[in-house]
Amino acid sequence: MHGSSKASWTAVLLCLFGILIGGVALIPNPNWVVFTIGAVVALAAGPVGLVMSAAGMGVERAEGHGQKAQGVDEHRSTLDG
């Protein structure tokens, strides 16, 4: 399945956890140290997911994905307009 891997789930859960920490830190009086910790955890989710994917815990790309030029519609008629 597309995107269902240990790397993607770990990145998503880390991001959600960081957002939760940061959000709770703002209630009722802002605690900027805890908010910063939550922001760092949320921002670290991307690199952690990439490292895990590079370590083989991601999903393999579909065959031919990224091989074709983007933005060109070969099926569009030249008479459209």
Side-chain angles (χ1 to χ4, degrees):
M1 293 179 79
H2 177 72
S4 293
S5 67
K6 293 177 184 178
S8 63
W9 278 105
T10 301
V12 167
L13 291 175
L14 268 176
C15 188
L16 288 173
F17 186 63
I19 291 170
L20 177 69
I21 292 170
V24 169
L26 296 176
I27 302 171
N29 295 323
N31 184 340
W32 296 111
V33 173
V34 178
F35 175 80
T36 304
I37 292 170
V40 168
V41 170
L43 290 175
V48 167
L50 288 174
V51 168
M52 287 181 69
S53 182
M57 293 182 235
V59 174
E60 295 292 324
R61 286 182 162 231
E63 187 176 322
H65 182 74
Q67 304 276 329
K68 195 173 186 181
Q70 298 294 318
V72 178
D73 187 4
E74 65 222 25
H75 301 293
R76 189 182 322 162
S77 171
T78 56
L79 301 176
D80 291 345

